[in-house]
Every structure is written in structure tokens, then in C-alpha cells.
Amino acid sequence: MNGHRILVALGANLPADWGGVARVPADSLRAAIAELGTLGLKLVSQSRFFVTPCFPAGVGPDYVNAAAVFDVPAGQAPQETLALLHKVEAAHGRTREARWAGRVLDLDLLAVGDQVLPDRTTYERWRDLALADQLRIAPVQLILPHPRMAERAFVLVPLAEVAPDWRHPVSGKTVVEMRNALPAADRAAVRPLTNGG
């Protein structure tokens, strides 16, 4: 994957108010993908939509998740790309009041080519962060690849549809290898969305 190609995870579990019209999470994901195209990100491929249990368990309704591959303009820094994702989230009413709270739209920048940012030592510190610390602190700088991606079936199951052979620049594992290393019950809990909503 070249440095202009990015991996994005998409999710939503709350309805959005769009000009007085209630929009279900799947509609928010569809709209976000289209909006990213208007901001210069070229869609290469997107996964199906999946229904996944809320994480952490019990804090809200199930999510609709997907993954997409985009090409970004040459010379666009990863931080600029992240700012575009945040701009689309904000346009949909996303607020960041509580860590892991329910959301009308969540766009996570998973990877930019094979870049490790800001450096391998910082990446590994965030990757190895204890769960209790994950609940209370968030990095103030962009960490790439996403430090939790290898642990999350709701990321890896959709991502395996669009970037199965992408290789993690630190672990060396492909998306399919990371997905297959997860517990079978976690993978099975990520179910294709069948009703379109």
C-alpha cells in the first residue's frame, strides 16, 4: 500500500438529526463516505456494513461498522487527513464528551501506507496501554497505525474485505492474520447488516 492510500474504520450507533430528519447509523456511514469524496479523498473500496456489539459492552445500542480504503492527494499529511475525518464527524453532530461514548459517527484513521507515527517507541507505548488507562486517557497526537486495531473484530472483519493483504508495519501481520488471531466468538459477533438500515 503506497503512502497516499489510507485505511479508515467507520462506525455509528446513534441516530443523527439531519436537517430535522432522523437518520439511522447506516445512512450516516453512507453519507460520510460520500462527503469524504467531496473533500478530496478518492474511494478505492468499501466493505459491507456489519452490526457489532457496543464496546464496552452495555454502554449503548449495537454499532453499524464498515471499513474503506481511500487514496489521498499527494503531499497531504496524515494530520490533514485526520482533520478531514474530524470535520465530517463534526458535520454529523459528533461530540467528544466522553471516552467510548455512543456516537452518531466515528471515523478512525487506521493506517496511512506503512507509516508508524510519531515513532515506533511512542506507538508501542500506546499499543501496550492497560485497559484502565485506555478508558481515561487519549493521545494528543496522531498514533499510526491505530494502536487498538489488532484487538478489534469490529475493525478487522470489515477491513479484511477491502485490505486483506495490508501488512502491519510493526507486527508484520496481515489484516487477515490479525483477524484470524482473534477469538472465534469475537469474530462471530460481527454480523453482516441484512436490512439495509
Side-chain angles (χ1 to χ4, degrees):
M1 190 169 85
N2 65 47
H4 305 306
R5 187 154 286 184
I6 65 169
L7 306 179
V8 176
L10 305 95
N13 74 329
L14 299 177
D17 181 349
W18 198 250
V21 177
R23 190 163 60 191
V24 297
D27 288 340
S28 294
L29 267 57
R30 290 183 192 99
I33 291 168
E35 287 166 39
L36 289 170
T38 69
L39 296 173
L41 277 62
K42 181 182 176 188
L43 181 65
V44 176
S45 59
Q46 80 174 65
S47 72
R48 294 176 292 169
F49 290 172
F50 292 84
V51 177
T52 62
C54 189
F55 179 84
V59 300
D62 287 351
Y63 272 83
V64 176
N65 287 102
V69 179
F70 293 92
D71 282 337
V72 299
Q76 181 169 291
Q79 292 80 2
E80 294 174 283
T81 303
L82 181 63
L84 291 178
L85 299 182
H86 286 173
K87 179 179 180 178
V88 172
E89 287 180 341
H92 286 254
R94 166 77 188 269
T95 58
R96 297 175 182 274
E97 297 165 5
R99 191 102 165 106
W100 291 342
R103 50 204 65 177
V104 295
L105 183 63
D106 186 27
L107 302 174
D108 282 336
L109 183 58
L110 300 175
V112 176
D114 61 359
Q115 294 186 54
V116 179
L117 295 178
D119 55 67
R120 186 170 176 141
T121 300
T122 304
Y123 165 81
E124 289 175 343
R125 180 163 37 89
W126 283 100
R127 180 199 61 199
D128 299 336
L129 199 65
L131 180 60
D133 291 330
Q134 294 174 37
L135 287 165
R136 64 181 184 79
I137 58 175
V140 295
Q141 63 197 111
L142 177 58
I143 309 294
L144 288 176
H146 191 292
R148 305 267 81 80
M149 70 183 294
E151 304 167 6
R152 296 179 171 171
F154 65 84
V155 169
L156 294 175
V157 171
L159 192 59
E161 291 193 346
V162 294
D165 299 324
W166 177 79
R167 194 170 293 279
H168 195 289
V170 176
S171 72
K173 294 180 180 178
T174 66
V175 170
V176 168
E177 289 169 338
M178 290 187 284
R179 180 201 63 192
N180 292 348
L182 294 172
D186 289 1
R187 299 192 313 265
V190 182
R191 308 173 318 275
L193 180 66
T194 56
N195 64 6

